[in-house]
């Protein structure tokens, strides 16, 4: 199979899905492509771009309108044209997701656990904390305790500020015996099997593309853009649910590492022709998009 | 009131109690007096000694028999006389209690908490751990977590060996925020009010003696022995229930510190004449008891 036919198959499968989340895909295009190239786009050119995925003008307009309502995007009218850019809040959300999605898996765990004690909270506060810290990958080891080995400190700080509870107790500590029992307890508390299966599904979907690319690196700019976008769309869906545990706490057969390598390698293969395609198709008020930011090249370790 | 009349009043009050725990009092005499002076005594002389408290020969014999059954004492027959000494296990128990009872309160807490997670245990195991570690002053912060700021490490090790559970997780850690909430949670988890009230009762009972001693230091050897014994008997009843929290975690009005100072001062006043009395009354197979051990003089900081 050539990379062209593999990408056609990928897009076809994507278009055949019953629930096509256009808003989510546009968020991926903004987060993966547009944010690194100025962050603003003329709606007409975005409509052109999304038509590649079989998404019609009307659906793009509705989705963009919703993304404005949800605080992701803002619009400005210049002449007869509408331009959309990320809001400050949208930029922050993207930056936070970006710091995870394109990051190399770390393995420098100091064996310390971050424990969150909920004992002093009432039932509704507990529920709120469980939900908020659940987004950060914390698992409930028991009804009154959440834990994570390597929490995202900045995100935790922000979440705790939002929660604003004076009764919430955070303890940083190490096991002094039965480290293994703690690992087992923790592993049982996360839904690792489900996430592992999602990574395996991701690998299954994208491995034909990397195989095809290995045989013939000639990929058309348009296909490169579509592959890159669907790659990040699918990868981030799993990754942002992943508690990102240190490797010491993962099962031997964990698919996350293989999924990371596949995603990185395919991204390295397609990002440049994809950006060439974006330069052709997307427009700002000043003409084509500016070149990619310096930070962009640091994705997945390094894109060079 | 003279110290003689104050001691008579003390002993009278003790003798009037409905439940006179002879075994417990004999344990105090062994732990406080005999252990530091060779550890062996002729039963006949012990019967003489206990008669001061209004305890008859028969009750002493029954109690001593029970203490043998409970592993505290062992007997040896030499001629027509029975000698009782502490077993190895009895010595260990006494040594453990001694290390607490006569110790100066420490205040060198490093702000670290010892947390014991029970999440992996079944209900009956949890109950067992809660009970065992309850003896060591651990409090349940929630249904699946016990905590102590400054556990007795050796006793904890021994308890964990006895419990032998591979699922029991011990974490040593510090609060990284809301240290106050942790303190409040912990304080609410111990029954400090009850222990504080017991210390206050102890102070009320023994302050007339220290006041009387302040006016006239002339105390008869026999009274000195009875005061010393009842002093330790009553003090240890409270102290061994006390989780011995660092001062940072105690309420401002905590009676434990005043109780300690009172106990130490009165002990310093009466220990020497009491030992003179023991030299007169108690007998070993070689005659009178040997002199007190060097360690003895280190009680309550220092007895000199």
């Amino acid at each position: 199979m050539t990379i062209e036919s593999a990408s056609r198959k990928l897009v076809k499968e994507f278009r055949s899905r019953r629930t096509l989340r256009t808003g989510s895909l546009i968020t991926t295009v903004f987060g993966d492509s547009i944010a690194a190239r100025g962050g603003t786009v003329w709606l007409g050119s975005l409509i052109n771009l999304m038509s590649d995925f079989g998404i019609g003008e009307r659906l793009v307009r509705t989705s963009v309108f919703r993304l404005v309502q949800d605080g992701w995007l803002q619009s400005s009218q210049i002449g007869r044209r509408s331009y959309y850019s990320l809001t400050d809040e949208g930029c922050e959300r993207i930056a936070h997701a970006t710091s995870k999605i394109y990051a190399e898996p770390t393995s420098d765990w100091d064996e310390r656990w971050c424990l969150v004690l909920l004992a002093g909270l009432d039932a509704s506060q507990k529920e709120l904390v469980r939900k908020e810290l659940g987004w950060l990958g914390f698992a409930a080891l028991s009804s009154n305790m959440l834990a994570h080995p390597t929490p995202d400190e900045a995100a935790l700080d922000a979440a705790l500020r939002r929660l604003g509870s004076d009764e919430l107790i955070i303890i940083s500590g190490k096991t002094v015996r039965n480290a293994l029992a703690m690992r087992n307890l923790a592993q049982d508390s996360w839904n690792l099997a489900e996430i592992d299966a999602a990574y395996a599904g991701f690998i299954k979907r994208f491995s034909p593309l990397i195989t095809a690319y290995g045989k013939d690196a000639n990929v058309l700019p348009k296909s490169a853009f579509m592959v890159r976008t669907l790659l990040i769309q699918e990868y981030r869906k799993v990754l942002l649910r992943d508690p990102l545990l240190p490797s010491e706490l993962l099962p031997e057969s964990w698919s996350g590492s293989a999924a990371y390598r596949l995603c990185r390698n395919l991204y390295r293969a397609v990002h440049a022709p994809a950006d060439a395609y974006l330069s052709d198709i997307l427009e700002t008020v000043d003409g084509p998009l500016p070149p990619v930011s310096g930070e962009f090249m640091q994705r997945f370790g390094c894109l060079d």
Side-chain angles (χ1 to χ4, degrees), chain A:
Chain A
M1 193 156 49
T2 65
I3 189 153
E4 281 308 314
S5 56
S7 1
R8 271 196 302 279
K9 205 177 153 213
L10 179 73
V11 175
K12 195 176 161 196
E13 190 276 328
F14 176 78
R15 289 176 64 161
S16 72
R17 291 192 200 168
R18 284 218 188 143
T19 52
L20 195 69
R21 308 231 165 141
T22 310
S24 168
L25 194 67
I26 292 177
T27 311
T28 296
V29 171
F30 265 93
D32 181 57
S33 296
I34 300 171
R37 300 192 62 181
T40 301
V41 73
W42 168 45
L43 179 59
S45 66
L46 183 66
I47 289 169
N48 272 351
L49 188 74
M50 299 312 288
S51 71
D52 297 343
F53 297 104
I55 298 169
E57 175 173 347
R58 191 167 182 154
L59 199 49
V60 175
R61 288 183 183 275
T62 320
S63 301
V64 161
F65 179 72
R66 280 210 195 110
L67 290 171
V68 170
Q69 286 185 311
D70 292 347
W72 284 93
L73 298 179
Q74 59 198 359
S75 72
S76 60
Q77 192 78 19
I78 295 174
R80 288 171 50 226
R81 290 184 161 189
S82 294
Y83 295 86
Y84 283 83
S85 44
L86 289 160
T87 59
D88 288 350
E89 197 190 336
C91 282
E92 252 178 62
R93 292 183 201 167
I94 295 274
H96 179 234
T98 295
S99 73
K100 289 187 187 292
I101 297 167
Y102 307 100
E104 287 181 282
T106 57
S107 57
D108 54 348
W109 185 38
D110 61 0
E111 304 259 327
R112 212 164 273 285
W113 291 86
C114 177
L115 305 178
V116 180
L117 312 187
L118 312 178
L121 308 184
D122 66 31
S124 67
Q125 283 178 307
K126 281 183 195 173
E127 197 41 48
L128 203 64
V129 174
R130 259 187 232 113
K131 203 176 155 187
E132 274 276 344
L133 299 195
W135 290 114
L136 304 184
F138 276 80
L141 297 198
S142 81
S143 60
N144 280 329
M145 189 168 67
L146 309 177
H148 197 290
T150 51
D152 177 332
E153 299 286 353
L156 179 59
D157 271 355
L160 293 173
R161 264 197 307 278
R162 269 198 306 283
L163 290 162
S165 170
D166 291 338
E167 304 305 317
L168 200 62
I169 297 161
I170 318 282
I171 288 180
S172 165
K174 279 187 181 189
T175 49
V176 291
R177 65 174 66 219
N178 285 4
L180 192 66
M182 181 64 183
R183 289 174 184 204
N184 292 341
L185 177 65
Q187 282 173 355
D188 292 348
S189 308
W190 280 287
N191 207 339
L192 293 182
E194 198 182 295
I195 293 165
D196 191 54
Y199 275 129
F202 168 84
I203 292 168
K204 197 174 168 205
R205 175 168 289 148
F206 288 93
S207 58
L209 285 133
I210 199 80
T211 310
Y213 181 80
K215 288 180 193 152
D216 177 5
N218 217 351
V219 54
L220 296 177
K222 180 171 161 177
S223 307
F225 162 71
M226 293 173 81
V227 168
R228 170 177 154 178
T229 301
L230 293 177
L231 179 75
I232 294 303
Q233 169 81 355
E234 297 299 306
Y235 185 62
R236 83 167 165 95
K237 265 166 48 184
V238 194
L239 188 101
L240 296 180
R241 279 198 293 148
D242 183 347
L244 300 174
L245 303 182
S247 54
E248 294 93 326
L249 291 175
L250 293 169
E252 291 261 336
S253 63
W254 183 242
S255 302
S257 332
Y260 170 80
R261 285 192 302 272
L262 169 57
C263 187
R264 178 195 61 194
N265 294 345
L266 194 51
Y267 199 87
R268 281 180 179 164
V270 295
H271 78 91
D275 267 313
Y277 182 68
L278 293 173
S279 301
D280 274 356
I281 300 292
L282 293 184
E283 278 182 48
T284 70
V285 72
D286 308 315
L289 297 179
V292 293
S293 64
E295 264 180 30
F296 178 86
M297 295 308 286
Q298 304 308 316
R299 290 184 178 180
F300 298 112
C302 176
L303 291 177
D304 282 334

